[in-house]
Amino acid sequence: MKKGMPFTDMVWGISHYNNEASVTEAVIQLRQLTQRLIATVSQDETQVAANTALFLEFVIGHLALITARRESKLDQTIFNQNIDRIINQF
């Protein structure tokens, strides 16, 4: 995003090249890393997958939103508050 590429284009690129082994492996590794981190704060082991999906969907949605408009200090404050609220649900 710092180079000016919209987030939606990055997601499209991942979808477009998902048949490339290196792209698939990178996405799997990122998801596994996230899942391991979420597992450390999840109170219910059976909810780790759902908590991971919730966290990733929130972050991806936020990134899409800041692509559509310029991020402000208020946006970052709200993002931080919402992340705390989501993690507290775990």
Coordinates of all heavy atoms in Angstrom, one line a residue:
M1 N 0.8 -1.2 0.0 CA 0.0 0.0 0.0 C 0.9 1.3 0.0 O 0.5 2.3 -0.6 CB -0.9 0.0 1.2 CG -2.0 -1.1 1.1 SD -3.1 -1.2 2.5 CE -4.0 0.4 2.4
K2 N 2.0 1.2 0.6 CA 2.9 2.3 0.7 C 3.4 2.7 -0.7 O 3.8 3.8 -1.0 CB 4.1 2.0 1.6 CG 3.8 2.0 3.1 CD 5.0 1.8 3.9 CE 4.6 1.8 5.4 NZ 5.8 1.7 6.2
K3 N 3.4 1.7 -1.6 CA 3.9 2.0 -3.0 C 2.7 2.5 -3.9 O 2.9 2.6 -5.1 CB 4.5 0.7 -3.6 CG 5.8 0.4 -2.9 CD 6.5 -0.8 -3.6 CE 7.8 -1.1 -2.8 NZ 8.5 -2.2 -3.5
G4 N 1.5 2.6 -3.3 CA 0.4 3.2 -4.0 C -0.5 2.1 -4.6 O -1.5 2.5 -5.3
M5 N -0.2 0.8 -4.4 CA -1.1 -0.2 -5.0 C -2.3 -0.3 -4.0 O -2.2 -0.6 -2.9 CB -0.4 -1.5 -5.1 CG -1.3 -2.6 -5.6 SD -0.5 -4.3 -5.7 CE 0.6 -4.0 -7.1
P6 N -3.5 -0.2 -4.6 CA -4.7 -0.4 -3.7 C -4.8 -1.8 -3.2 O -4.4 -2.8 -3.8 CB -5.9 -0.1 -4.7 CG -5.3 0.7 -5.8 CD -3.9 0.2 -5.9
F7 N -5.3 -1.9 -2.0 CA -5.4 -3.2 -1.3 C -6.3 -4.1 -2.1 O -5.9 -5.3 -2.2 CB -6.1 -3.0 0.1 CG -6.2 -4.2 0.9 CD1 -5.1 -4.9 1.4 CD2 -7.5 -4.8 1.0 CE1 -5.3 -6.1 2.1 CE2 -7.6 -6.0 1.7 CZ -6.6 -6.6 2.3
T8 N -7.3 -3.6 -2.7 CA -8.2 -4.5 -3.6 C -7.4 -5.1 -4.7 O -7.6 -6.3 -5.1 CB -9.4 -3.8 -4.1 OG1 -8.9 -2.5 -4.7 CG2 -10.4 -3.4 -3.0
D9 N -6.4 -4.4 -5.3 CA -5.6 -4.9 -6.3 C -4.7 -6.0 -5.8 O -4.4 -7.0 -6.5 CB -4.7 -3.9 -7.0 CG -5.6 -2.9 -7.8 OD1 -6.8 -3.2 -8.0 OD2 -5.0 -1.9 -8.3
M10 N -4.2 -5.8 -4.6 CA -3.3 -6.9 -3.9 C -4.1 -8.1 -3.7 O -3.6 -9.2 -4.0 CB -2.7 -6.4 -2.6 CG -1.7 -5.3 -2.8 SD -0.9 -4.9 -1.3 CE -1.9 -3.5 -0.8
V11 N -5.3 -8.0 -3.2 CA -6.2 -9.2 -3.0 C -6.5 -9.9 -4.3 O -6.4 -11.1 -4.4 CB -7.5 -8.8 -2.2 CG1 -8.4 -10.0 -2.2 CG2 -7.1 -8.3 -0.8
W12 N -6.8 -9.1 -5.3 CA -7.0 -9.6 -6.7 C -5.8 -10.4 -7.1 O -5.9 -11.5 -7.7 CB -7.3 -8.5 -7.7 CG -7.5 -9.1 -9.1 CD1 -8.6 -9.6 -9.6 CD2 -6.4 -9.2 -10.0 NE1 -8.3 -10.0 -10.9 CE2 -7.0 -9.8 -11.2 CE3 -5.1 -8.8 -10.1 CZ2 -6.3 -10.1 -12.3 CZ3 -4.4 -9.1 -11.2 CH2 -5.0 -9.7 -12.3
G13 N -4.6 -9.9 -6.9 CA -3.4 -10.5 -7.3 C -3.2 -11.9 -6.6 O -2.8 -12.9 -7.3
I14 N -3.6 -11.9 -5.4 CA -3.5 -13.2 -4.6 C -4.5 -14.2 -5.2 O -4.2 -15.4 -5.4 CB -3.8 -13.0 -3.1 CG1 -2.6 -12.2 -2.5 CG2 -4.0 -14.3 -2.4 CD1 -2.9 -11.8 -1.1
S15 N -5.7 -13.7 -5.5 CA -6.7 -14.6 -6.1 C -6.3 -15.1 -7.5 O -6.5 -16.2 -7.9 CB -8.1 -13.9 -6.2 OG -8.5 -13.5 -4.9
H16 N -5.7 -14.1 -8.3 CA -5.4 -14.4 -9.7 C -4.2 -15.4 -9.8 O -4.2 -16.3 -10.6 CB -5.0 -13.1 -10.4 CG -4.7 -13.3 -11.8 ND1 -5.6 -13.6 -12.8 CD2 -3.5 -13.3 -12.5 CE1 -5.0 -13.7 -14.0 NE2 -3.7 -13.6 -13.8
Y17 N -3.3 -15.3 -8.8 CA -2.1 -16.2 -8.9 C -2.2 -17.3 -7.8 O -1.1 -17.9 -7.5 CB -0.8 -15.4 -8.7 CG -0.6 -14.4 -9.8 CD1 -0.8 -13.0 -9.7 CD2 -0.1 -14.9 -11.0 CE1 -0.6 -12.2 -10.8 CE2 0.1 -14.0 -12.1 CZ -0.2 -12.7 -12.0 OH 0.1 -11.8 -13.0
N18 N -3.4 -17.6 -7.3 CA -3.5 -18.6 -6.3 C -3.1 -20.0 -6.7 O -2.9 -20.9 -5.9 CB -4.9 -18.7 -5.7 CG -5.9 -19.2 -6.6 OD1 -5.7 -19.4 -7.8 ND2 -7.1 -19.5 -6.1
N19 N -3.0 -20.2 -8.0 CA -2.5 -21.6 -8.5 C -1.0 -21.7 -8.5 O -0.5 -22.8 -8.8 CB -3.1 -21.9 -9.9 CG -2.7 -20.8 -10.9 OD1 -2.3 -19.7 -10.6 ND2 -2.7 -21.1 -12.2
E20 N -0.3 -20.6 -8.2 CA 1.1 -20.6 -8.1 C 1.5 -21.2 -6.7 O 1.0 -20.7 -5.7 CB 1.7 -19.2 -8.3 CG 1.5 -18.6 -9.6 CD 2.3 -19.2 -10.7 OE1 3.4 -19.7 -10.4 OE2 1.8 -19.2 -11.9
A21 N 2.3 -22.2 -6.7 CA 2.7 -22.8 -5.4 C 3.3 -21.9 -4.4 O 2.9 -21.9 -3.2 CB 3.7 -24.0 -5.7
S22 N 4.1 -20.9 -4.9 CA 4.7 -20.0 -3.9 C 3.7 -19.1 -3.3 O 3.8 -18.7 -2.1 CB 5.8 -19.2 -4.6 OG 5.3 -18.4 -5.7
V23 N 2.7 -18.6 -4.1 CA 1.6 -17.8 -3.5 C 0.8 -18.6 -2.5 O 0.5 -18.1 -1.4 CB 0.8 -17.2 -4.7 CG1 -0.4 -16.4 -4.1 CG2 1.6 -16.3 -5.6
T24 N 0.4 -19.8 -2.9 CA -0.4 -20.6 -2.1 C 0.3 -20.9 -0.7 O -0.3 -20.7 0.3 CB -0.8 -21.9 -2.8 OG1 -1.5 -21.6 -4.0 CG2 -1.6 -22.8 -1.9
E25 N 1.5 -21.2 -0.8 CA 2.3 -21.5 0.4 C 2.4 -20.2 1.3 O 2.3 -20.3 2.5 CB 3.7 -22.0 0.0 CG 4.6 -22.4 1.2 CD 4.0 -23.5 2.1 OE1 3.2 -24.3 1.6 OE2 4.2 -23.5 3.3
A26 N 2.7 -19.1 0.7 CA 2.8 -17.8 1.5 C 1.4 -17.5 2.2 O 1.5 -17.2 3.4 CB 3.2 -16.7 0.6
V27 N 0.3 -17.7 1.5 CA -1.0 -17.5 2.1 C -1.2 -18.5 3.3 O -1.7 -18.1 4.4 CB -2.1 -17.5 1.1 CG1 -3.5 -17.5 1.7 CG2 -2.0 -16.4 0.1
I28 N -0.9 -19.7 3.1 CA -1.1 -20.7 4.1 C -0.2 -20.4 5.3 O -0.7 -20.5 6.5 CB -0.7 -22.1 3.6 CG1 -1.8 -22.6 2.6 CG2 -0.5 -23.2 4.7 CD1 -1.4 -23.9 1.8
Q29 N 1.0 -20.0 5.1 CA 1.9 -19.6 6.2 C 1.4 -18.4 7.0 O 1.5 -18.4 8.2 CB 3.3 -19.4 5.7 CG 4.1 -20.7 5.3 CD 5.5 -20.4 4.7 OE1 6.0 -19.3 4.8 NE2 6.1 -21.4 4.2
L30 N 0.9 -17.4 6.3 CA 0.3 -16.3 7.0 C -0.9 -16.6 7.8 O -1.0 -16.2 8.9 CB 0.0 -15.2 5.9 CG 1.1 -14.4 5.3 CD1 0.7 -13.5 4.2 CD2 1.8 -13.6 6.4
R31 N -1.7 -17.5 7.3 CA -2.9 -17.9 8.0 C -2.5 -18.7 9.2 O -3.1 -18.6 10.3 CB -3.9 -18.7 7.1 CG -5.1 -19.1 7.9 CD -6.3 -19.2 7.0 NE -7.5 -19.5 7.8 CZ -8.4 -18.6 8.0 NH1 -8.4 -17.4 7.5 NH2 -9.5 -19.0 8.7
Q32 N -1.5 -19.6 9.1 CA -1.1 -20.5 10.2 C -0.4 -19.6 11.3 O -0.7 -19.9 12.5 CB -0.1 -21.5 9.7 CG -0.8 -22.6 8.9 CD 0.2 -23.6 8.3 OE1 1.4 -23.3 8.1 NE2 -0.3 -24.8 7.9
L33 N 0.3 -18.6 10.9 CA 0.9 -17.7 11.8 C -0.2 -17.0 12.6 O -0.1 -16.9 13.9 CB 1.8 -16.7 11.1 CG 2.4 -15.6 12.0 CD1 3.3 -16.1 13.1 CD2 3.1 -14.5 11.2
T34 N -1.1 -16.5 11.9 CA -2.2 -15.8 12.6 C -3.0 -16.7 13.5 O -3.3 -16.3 14.6 CB -3.2 -15.2 11.5 OG1 -2.5 -14.3 10.6 CG2 -4.3 -14.4 12.2
Q35 N -3.2 -17.9 13.1 CA -4.0 -18.9 13.9 C -3.2 -19.2 15.1 O -3.8 -19.3 16.2 CB -4.3 -20.1 13.1 CG -5.3 -21.0 13.8 CD -6.0 -22.0 12.8 OE1 -5.8 -22.0 11.6 NE2 -6.8 -22.9 13.4
R36 N -1.9 -19.4 15.0 CA -1.1 -19.6 16.2 C -1.2 -18.5 17.2 O -1.3 -18.7 18.4 CB 0.4 -19.9 15.9 CG 0.6 -21.3 15.3 CD 2.1 -21.7 15.2 NE 2.9 -20.7 14.5 CZ 3.2 -20.7 13.2 NH1 2.7 -21.6 12.4 NH2 4.0 -19.8 12.7
L37 N -1.1 -17.2 16.7 CA -1.2 -16.1 17.6 C -2.6 -16.0 18.2 O -2.7 -15.7 19.4 CB -0.9 -14.8 16.8 CG 0.5 -14.7 16.3 CD1 0.6 -13.5 15.3 CD2 1.5 -14.5 17.5
I38 N -3.6 -16.2 17.5 CA -5.0 -16.2 18.0 C -5.2 -17.3 19.0 O -5.9 -17.1 20.0 CB -6.0 -16.3 16.9 CG1 -5.9 -15.0 16.0 CG2 -7.4 -16.4 17.4 CD1 -6.2 -13.7 16.6
A39 N -4.6 -18.4 18.8 CA -4.7 -19.5 19.8 C -4.2 -19.2 21.2 O -4.7 -19.6 22.2 CB -4.0 -20.8 19.2
T40 N -3.2 -18.3 21.2 CA -2.6 -17.9 22.5 C -3.6 -17.0 23.3 O -3.4 -16.9 24.5 CB -1.3 -17.2 22.3 OG1 -1.5 -15.9 21.7 CG2 -0.3 -18.0 21.6
V41 N -4.5 -16.4 22.7 CA -5.5 -15.5 23.4 C -6.9 -16.0 23.4 O -7.8 -15.5 24.1 CB -5.5 -14.1 22.8 CG1 -4.1 -13.4 23.0 CG2 -5.9 -14.0 21.4
S42 N -7.1 -17.2 22.8 CA -8.5 -17.8 22.7 C -8.7 -18.6 24.0 O -7.9 -19.4 24.4 CB -8.6 -18.7 21.5 OG -8.7 -17.9 20.3
Q43 N -9.8 -18.3 24.7 CA -10.1 -19.0 25.9 C -10.7 -20.4 25.6 O -10.6 -21.3 26.4 CB -11.1 -18.2 26.7 CG -10.5 -16.9 27.2 CD -11.6 -16.0 27.9 OE1 -12.6 -16.5 28.3 NE2 -11.3 -14.8 28.0
D44 N -11.3 -20.6 24.4 CA -11.9 -21.8 24.0 C -11.2 -22.4 22.8 O -11.3 -21.8 21.7 CB -13.4 -21.6 23.7 CG -14.2 -22.8 23.4 OD1 -13.5 -23.9 23.1 OD2 -15.4 -22.8 23.3
E45 N -10.5 -23.5 23.0 CA -9.7 -24.1 21.9 C -10.6 -24.4 20.7 O -10.1 -24.4 19.5 CB -9.0 -25.3 22.4 CG -7.9 -25.0 23.3 CD -7.1 -26.3 23.8 OE1 -7.3 -27.3 23.1 OE2 -6.4 -26.2 24.8
T46 N -11.8 -24.7 20.9 CA -12.7 -25.1 19.8 C -13.1 -23.9 18.9 O -13.6 -24.0 17.8 CB -14.0 -25.8 20.2 OG1 -14.8 -24.8 21.0 CG2 -13.7 -27.0 21.1
Q47 N -12.8 -22.7 19.4 CA -13.1 -21.4 18.7 C -12.0 -20.8 18.0 O -12.1 -19.7 17.4 CB -13.8 -20.4 19.7 CG -15.1 -20.9 20.2 CD -16.1 -21.0 19.0 OE1 -16.3 -20.1 18.3 NE2 -16.7 -22.2 18.9
V48 N -10.8 -21.4 18.0 CA -9.6 -20.8 17.4 C -9.8 -20.5 15.9 O -9.5 -19.4 15.4 CB -8.3 -21.6 17.7 CG1 -7.1 -21.1 16.9 CG2 -8.0 -21.7 19.1
A49 N -10.3 -21.4 15.2 CA -10.5 -21.2 13.7 C -11.5 -20.1 13.5 O -11.3 -19.2 12.7 CB -11.0 -22.5 13.1
A50 N -12.6 -20.1 14.3 CA -13.6 -19.0 14.1 C -13.0 -17.6 14.5 O -13.3 -16.6 13.9 CB -14.9 -19.3 14.9
N51 N -12.3 -17.6 15.6 CA -11.6 -16.4 16.1 C -10.6 -15.9 15.1 O -10.5 -14.7 14.8 CB -10.9 -16.6 17.4 CG -11.9 -16.8 18.6 OD1 -13.1 -16.6 18.4 ND2 -11.5 -17.3 19.7
T52 N -9.9 -16.8 14.4 CA -8.9 -16.4 13.4 C -9.6 -15.8 12.2 O -9.2 -14.8 11.7 CB -8.1 -17.6 12.9 OG1 -7.4 -18.2 14.1 CG2 -7.1 -17.3 11.9
A53 N -10.7 -16.4 11.8 CA -11.5 -15.9 10.7 C -12.1 -14.5 11.0 O -12.0 -13.6 10.2 CB -12.7 -16.8 10.3
L54 N -12.6 -14.3 12.2 CA -13.1 -13.0 12.6 C -12.0 -12.0 12.6 O -12.2 -10.9 12.1 CB -13.7 -13.1 14.0 CG -14.2 -11.8 14.7 CD1 -15.3 -11.2 13.9 CD2 -14.6 -12.1 16.1
F55 N -10.9 -12.3 13.2 CA -9.8 -11.3 13.2 C -9.3 -11.0 11.8 O -9.2 -9.8 11.5 CB -8.6 -11.9 14.0 CG -7.4 -11.1 14.0 CD1 -7.3 -10.0 14.9 CD2 -6.3 -11.3 13.2 CE1 -6.2 -9.2 14.9 CE2 -5.2 -10.5 13.2 CZ -5.1 -9.4 14.1
L56 N -9.1 -12.0 10.9 CA -8.6 -11.7 9.6 C -9.6 -10.9 8.8 O -9.3 -10.0 8.0 CB -8.3 -13.0 8.9 CG -7.0 -13.7 9.4 CD1 -6.8 -15.0 8.7 CD2 -5.8 -12.8 9.1
E57 N -10.9 -11.2 8.9 CA -11.9 -10.5 8.2 C -12.0 -9.1 8.6 O -12.2 -8.2 7.8 CB -13.3 -11.2 8.3 CG -13.3 -12.5 7.6 CD -14.5 -13.4 7.9 OE1 -15.5 -12.9 8.5 OE2 -14.5 -14.6 7.5
F58 N -11.8 -8.8 9.9 CA -11.8 -7.4 10.4 C -10.7 -6.7 9.9 O -10.8 -5.6 9.4 CB -11.8 -7.4 12.0 CG -11.6 -6.0 12.5 CD1 -12.7 -5.2 12.5 CD2 -10.4 -5.6 12.9 CE1 -12.5 -3.8 13.0 CE2 -10.2 -4.3 13.4 CZ -11.3 -3.4 13.4
V59 N -9.5 -7.3 9.9 CA -8.3 -6.6 9.4 C -8.4 -6.3 7.9 O -8.1 -5.2 7.4 CB -7.0 -7.4 9.8 CG1 -5.8 -6.8 9.1 CG2 -6.8 -7.4 11.3
I60 N -8.8 -7.3 7.2 CA -8.9 -7.2 5.7 C -10.0 -6.1 5.4 O -9.8 -5.3 4.5 CB -9.3 -8.5 5.1 CG1 -8.1 -9.4 5.1 CG2 -9.7 -8.3 3.6 CD1 -8.3 -10.9 4.8
G61 N -11.1 -6.1 6.1 CA -12.1 -5.1 5.9 C -11.6 -3.7 6.2 O -11.9 -2.7 5.5
H62 N -10.8 -3.6 7.3 CA -10.3 -2.3 7.6 C -9.3 -1.8 6.6 O -9.3 -0.6 6.2 CB -9.5 -2.3 9.0 CG -9.0 -1.0 9.4 ND1 -9.7 0.0 9.9 CD2 -7.7 -0.6 9.4 CE1 -9.0 1.0 10.1 NE2 -7.7 0.7 9.9
L63 N -8.5 -2.7 6.1 CA -7.5 -2.3 5.0 C -8.2 -1.9 3.7 O -7.8 -1.0 3.1 CB -6.6 -3.5 4.7 CG -5.6 -3.8 5.8 CD1 -4.8 -5.1 5.5 CD2 -4.6 -2.7 6.0
A64 N -9.3 -2.6 3.4 CA -10.1 -2.2 2.2 C -10.7 -0.8 2.5 O -10.7 0.0 1.5 CB -11.2 -3.2 2.0
L65 N -11.2 -0.5 3.7 CA -11.7 0.8 4.0 C -10.7 1.9 3.9 O -11.0 2.9 3.3 CB -12.3 0.8 5.4 CG -13.0 2.0 5.9 CD1 -14.2 2.4 5.0 CD2 -13.5 1.9 7.3
I66 N -9.5 1.7 4.4 CA -8.5 2.7 4.3 C -8.0 2.9 2.9 O -7.4 3.9 2.6 CB -7.4 2.6 5.3 CG1 -6.6 1.4 5.1 CG2 -7.9 2.7 6.7 CD1 -5.3 1.3 6.0
T67 N -8.2 1.9 2.1 CA -7.8 2.0 0.6 C -8.8 3.0 0.0 O -8.4 3.8 -0.9 CB -7.8 0.7 -0.1 OG1 -6.8 -0.1 0.5 CG2 -7.6 0.8 -1.6
A68 N -10.1 2.9 0.4 CA -11.1 3.7 -0.2 C -11.1 5.1 0.2 O -11.5 6.0 -0.5 CB -12.5 3.1 0.1
R69 N -10.5 5.4 1.4 CA -10.4 6.8 1.9 C -9.0 6.9 2.6 O -8.4 5.9 3.0 CB -11.5 7.1 2.8 CG -11.6 6.3 4.0 CD -12.9 6.6 4.8 NE -13.1 5.7 5.8 CZ -13.0 5.9 7.1 NH1 -12.8 7.1 7.6 NH2 -13.3 5.0 8.0
R70 N -8.6 8.1 2.9 CA -7.3 8.3 3.5 C -7.4 8.0 5.0 O -8.4 8.4 5.7 CB -6.8 9.7 3.3 CG -6.6 10.0 1.9 CD -5.3 9.3 1.4 NE -5.0 9.5 0.0 CZ -4.7 8.5 -0.8 NH1 -4.6 7.3 -0.4 NH2 -4.4 8.8 -2.0
E71 N -6.4 7.3 5.5 CA -6.4 7.0 6.9 C -6.1 8.2 7.7 O -5.2 9.0 7.4 CB -5.3 5.9 7.2 CG -5.2 5.6 8.6 CD -4.0 4.6 8.9 OE1 -3.3 4.3 7.9 OE2 -3.9 4.2 10.0
S72 N -6.9 8.4 8.8 CA -6.6 9.6 9.7 C -6.2 9.0 11.0 O -6.4 7.8 11.3 CB -7.9 10.4 9.8 OG -8.9 9.7 10.5
K73 N -5.8 9.9 11.9 CA -5.5 9.5 13.3 C -6.7 9.0 14.0 O -6.6 8.0 14.7 CB -4.9 10.7 14.0 CG -4.4 10.4 15.4 CD -3.7 11.6 16.0 CE -3.0 11.1 17.3 NZ -2.2 12.1 17.9
L74 N -7.9 9.5 13.7 CA -9.1 9.0 14.3 C -9.4 7.6 13.8 O -9.8 6.7 14.6 CB -10.3 9.9 13.9 CG -11.7 9.4 14.4 CD1 -11.7 9.3 15.9 CD2 -12.8 10.4 13.9
D75 N -9.2 7.3 12.5 CA -9.4 6.0 12.0 C -8.5 5.0 12.7 O -8.9 3.9 13.0 CB -9.1 5.9 10.5 CG -10.1 6.7 9.6 OD1 -11.2 6.9 10.1 OD2 -9.7 7.0 8.5
Q76 N -7.3 5.4 13.0 CA -6.3 4.5 13.6 C -6.8 4.2 15.1 O -6.7 3.1 15.6 CB -4.9 5.0 13.6 CG -3.9 4.0 14.1 CD -3.8 2.8 13.3 OE1 -3.8 2.8 12.0 NE2 -3.8 1.6 13.9
T77 N -7.3 5.3 15.7 CA -7.7 5.1 17.1 C -8.9 4.2 17.1 O -9.0 3.3 18.0 CB -8.2 6.5 17.7 OG1 -7.0 7.4 17.7 CG2 -8.7 6.4 19.1
I78 N -9.9 4.4 16.2 CA -11.0 3.5 16.2 C -10.6 2.1 15.9 O -11.1 1.1 16.5 CB -12.1 4.0 15.1 CG1 -12.6 5.3 15.6 CG2 -13.2 3.0 14.9 CD1 -13.5 6.1 14.6
F79 N -9.7 1.9 14.9 CA -9.2 0.6 14.6 C -8.6 -0.1 15.8 O -8.9 -1.3 16.1 CB -8.1 0.6 13.5 CG -7.4 -0.7 13.2 CD1 -8.0 -1.6 12.4 CD2 -6.2 -0.9 13.7 CE1 -7.4 -2.8 12.2 CE2 -5.5 -2.1 13.5 CZ -6.2 -3.1 12.7
N80 N -7.8 0.6 16.6 CA -7.1 0.0 17.8 C -8.2 -0.4 18.8 O -8.1 -1.4 19.4 CB -6.1 1.0 18.4 CG -4.9 1.2 17.6 OD1 -4.6 0.4 16.6 ND2 -4.2 2.3 17.8
Q81 N -9.2 0.5 19.0 CA -10.3 0.2 20.0 C -11.0 -1.1 19.5 O -11.4 -1.9 20.3 CB -11.2 1.4 20.1 CG -10.6 2.6 20.8 CD -11.4 3.8 20.7 OE1 -12.4 3.9 19.9 NE2 -11.1 4.8 21.5
N82 N -11.3 -1.2 18.2 CA -12.1 -2.3 17.7 C -11.3 -3.6 17.8 O -11.9 -4.7 18.1 CB -12.6 -2.0 16.3 CG -13.7 -1.1 16.3 OD1 -14.4 -0.9 17.2 ND2 -13.9 -0.4 15.1
I83 N -10.0 -3.5 17.5 CA -9.1 -4.7 17.7 C -9.2 -5.2 19.1 O -9.3 -6.4 19.4 CB -7.7 -4.4 17.2 CG1 -7.6 -4.5 15.7 CG2 -6.7 -5.4 17.9 CD1 -7.7 -5.9 15.1
D84 N -9.1 -4.3 20.1 CA -9.2 -4.7 21.5 C -10.5 -5.3 21.8 O -10.6 -6.3 22.5 CB -9.0 -3.5 22.4 CG -7.5 -3.0 22.4 OD1 -6.6 -3.7 22.0 OD2 -7.3 -1.8 22.8
R85 N -11.6 -4.8 21.3 CA -12.9 -5.3 21.5 C -13.0 -6.7 20.9 O -13.6 -7.6 21.5 CB -14.0 -4.4 20.9 CG -14.1 -3.1 21.8 CD -15.1 -2.1 21.2 NE -16.2 -2.6 20.6 CZ -16.9 -2.0 19.7 NH1 -16.6 -0.8 19.3 NH2 -18.0 -2.5 19.2
I86 N -12.5 -6.9 19.7 CA -12.6 -8.2 19.1 C -11.8 -9.3 19.9 O -12.3 -10.3 20.2 CB -12.1 -8.2 17.6 CG1 -13.1 -7.5 16.8 CG2 -11.8 -9.6 17.1 CD1 -12.7 -7.2 15.4
I87 N -10.6 -8.9 20.2 CA -9.7 -9.9 21.0 C -10.3 -10.2 22.3 O -10.3 -11.3 22.8 CB -8.3 -9.4 21.1 CG1 -7.6 -9.4 19.7 CG2 -7.5 -10.2 22.1 CD1 -6.3 -8.8 19.6
N88 N -11.0 -9.2 23.0 CA -11.6 -9.5 24.2 C -12.8 -10.5 24.1 O -13.2 -11.1 25.1 CB -12.1 -8.2 24.9 CG -11.0 -7.4 25.5 OD1 -9.9 -7.9 25.8 ND2 -11.1 -6.1 25.5
Q89 N -13.3 -10.6 22.9 CA -14.4 -11.6 22.7 C -13.9 -13.0 22.7 O -14.7 -14.0 22.9 CB -15.1 -11.3 21.3 CG -15.8 -10.0 21.2 CD -16.9 -9.9 22.2 OE1 -17.7 -10.7 22.4 NE2 -16.9 -8.8 22.9
F90 N -12.6 -13.2 22.5 CA -12.0 -14.5 22.4 C -12.0 -15.2 23.8 O -11.9 -16.3 24.1 CB -10.6 -14.5 21.9 CG -10.5 -14.0 20.5 CD1 -9.3 -13.7 19.9 CD2 -11.6 -13.8 19.7 CE1 -9.2 -13.2 18.6 CE2 -11.5 -13.4 18.4 CZ -10.3 -13.0 17.9

